[in-house]
Amino acid sequence: MIKTIECSQEGIVRILDQSRLPLEEVYIECRDHLEVAEAIRKMRIRGAPAIGVAAAIALALGAQKIQADSFEGFYSKLQDLAETLAGTRPTAVNLFWALGCMKRCALDFKDLPLQALKERLREEAQRILEEDINTNRALGREGKGLIHDGASILTHCNTGALATAGYGTALGVVRAAFEEGKRLTVYVDETRPYLQGARLTAWELQKEGIPFVLITDNMAGYFMKQGKIDMVMVGADRIAANGDVANKIGTYGLAVLAREHNIPFYVAAPLSTLDLGLPSGEEIPIEERDPEEVTQFLGTPIAPPGAQAANPAFDITPARLVSAIVTEVGIARPPYKDSLRDLRQRAWHRPKAG
Ligand code: MRU
């Protein structure tokens, strides 16, 4: 399986540099939390669950170097590090979820000697990484029944092993159906401007031998109208209590097109992507990235010098356009306010995914 991120006993974090795929398969080495933060900001590692895992590992790494005479002194410095990491990317809630798990771990073990506490934090980050893979596999098991033999699935951005610690969310569901022997074709949106579809999803699917057709974003409606698409399956960066979904820019347009053509629109995401404290998608912060990602491609200008460009990285798909939300503990259907809350409660009463 592709290794998105790993941390050695010596505290070196190896990250597969996704900004260079598919042309080069290169791992970068980060030696402190600031280098990991920079890798997240520059999208060398990206995808909501992977960002969360990277932040947890970075916080554990930073914690090893904290000098303090008391737990209070230690915790205050840990919070400063967490704040730096929280400032890297604002939309994917998994980042804040993972940092929350790490801080809770510190509080749970506050009575331990400092060295032992630091070790616990290292273990917690590793637990978050391993749990992410198990969660994705469970998500695949829950969702694969939505995909029938011979299905054509349109997907957007990258939601595979690269976007997680391994296996993937929406692409994990596709993978699970494929592993079961179902024949399927994935229509891969190239996903401008960062080209996660063309560069990353196509790369992953090719490695796995899963049949796919790469299309530009503006071809989706054409293929839907031709009857070539049976369903849309995407991931999420944050899901509000009413089921509104923040995901890669362009997702909303796909959902509108899917509704027009009577095609089911599915979202697959772990429970760590739920933000039930937010009533609706209106409150989800949308990351604005450098307009150069739009005016340039791999450093080459593709617009006249000085052209104004906008670069919102995500959009909100209203819950009414979402047919179902697949999680690791089951599938939520409208009304999401009830079904998402029920799934969250079910997770509390169930042993961990494995
Ligand atoms: O900007 P990115 O590449 O981090 O955006 C990723 C997405 O939008 C994914 O669809 C989402 O994080 C789900 S990944 C399992």
Side-chain angles (χ1 to χ4, degrees):
M1 192 166 56
I2 302 159
K3 273 226 158 89
T4 320
I5 182 166
E6 63 186 347
C7 185
S8 72
Q9 268 304 321
E10 296 72 41
I12 296 170
V13 183
R14 290 181 81 237
I15 291 175
L16 177 57
D17 186 349
Q18 299 186 32
S19 69
R20 290 156 78 173
L21 284 172
L23 303 179
E24 289 176 287
E25 215 172 309
V26 178
Y27 281 83
I28 54 164
E29 291 190 345
C30 302
R31 283 159 203 278
D32 61 36
H33 74 285
L34 288 175
E35 287 183 4
V36 181
E38 193 56 7
I40 297 173
R41 203 172 285 116
K42 291 252 169 77
M43 289 173 69
R44 298 189 191 288
I45 183 161
R46 33 66 47 205
I51 292 172
V53 170
I57 290 176
L59 192 56
L61 193 60
Q64 307 305 312
K65 295 191 186 136
I66 294 178
Q67 309 275 2
D69 303 330
S70 64
F71 174 77
E72 286 67 30
F74 173 83
Y75 192 68
S76 150
K77 289 182 182 159
L78 189 75
Q79 277 185 305
D80 290 346
L81 302 186
E83 222 163 277
T84 302
L85 289 159
T88 51
R89 296 195 70 191
T91 305
V93 76
N94 309 59
L95 170 69
F96 310 101
W97 171 85
L99 292 172
C101 292
M102 293 296 289
K103 287 196 270 182
R104 212 166 316 120
C105 172
L107 290 169
D108 285 349
F109 292 103
K110 65 200 269 252
D111 296 329
L112 288 180
L114 216 53
Q115 204 42 47
L117 175 58
K118 289 178 179 179
E119 193 46 39
R120 289 289 173 153
L121 287 170
R122 207 205 285 267
E123 286 165 10
E124 176 68 357
Q126 186 60 24
R127 186 195 65 76
I128 290 172
L129 183 150
E130 283 162 19
E131 189 180 292
D132 183 58
I133 300 173
N134 289 335
T135 297
N136 292 333
R137 286 191 187 279
L139 216 150
R141 284 195 294 274
E142 293 291 337
K144 67 184 178 186
L146 295 171
I147 299 177
H148 58 268
D149 187 36
S152 290
I153 307 131
L154 175 64
T155 192
H156 192 62
C157 196
N158 171 265
T159 62
L162 290 169
T164 62
Y167 205 73
T169 59
L171 215 58
V173 173
V174 172
R175 196 189 296 272
F178 183 75
E179 283 169 359
E180 208 176 49
K182 285 178 181 158
R183 287 160 299 170
L184 44 89
T185 305
V186 186
Y187 279 77
V188 178
D189 258 2
E190 67 172 348
T191 317
R192 278 279 291 151
Y194 201 69
L195 300 178
Q196 288 94 330
R199 295 191 305 104
L200 309 177
T201 302
W203 182 77
E204 276 195 43
L205 291 173
Q206 198 164 58
K207 265 189 185 280
E208 302 284 333
I210 301 177
F212 70 92
V213 180
L214 177 63
I215 62 173
T216 61
D217 299 336
N218 48 4
M219 294 176 189
Y222 173 84
F223 286 112
M224 286 186 189
K225 190 146 186 273
Q226 285 202 338
K228 291 271 170 62
I229 310 292
D230 294 312
M231 70 190 70
V232 179
M233 177 83 69
V234 296
D237 287 82
R238 201 186 286 227
I239 301 174
N242 69 345
D244 287 353
V245 173
N247 192 48
K248 180 53 53 195
I249 191 78
T251 304
Y252 170 48
L254 283 181
V256 173
L257 279 170
R259 176 57 55 93
E260 169 68 15
H261 294 92
N262 258 322
I263 294 169
F265 182 91
Y266 298 126
V267 174
L271 293 174
S272 54
T273 303
L274 299 185
D275 191 353
L276 301 189
L278 289 189
S280 78
E282 296 275 302
E283 292 83 26
I284 299 177
I286 299 293
E287 177 183 7
E288 285 283 339
R289 294 189 62 84
D290 191 335
E292 278 196 350
E293 288 178 0
V294 174
T295 57
Q296 297 185 1
F297 178 68
L298 295 176
T300 306
I302 54 166
Q308 294 293 307
N311 192 10
F314 302 94
D315 59 25
I316 307 293
T317 299
R320 69 191 142 76
L321 298 179
V322 179
S323 312
I325 298 175
V326 184
T327 75
E328 67 272 31
V329 294
I331 300 180
R333 302 228 179 229
Y336 292 111
K337 208 163 182 301
D338 300 329
S339 57
L340 290 176
R341 194 196 44 222
D342 289 351
L343 285 185
R344 172 60 63 78
Q345 272 166 7
R346 193 186 302 175
W348 281 332
H349 298 112
R350 226 168 101 143
K352 289 261 175 268

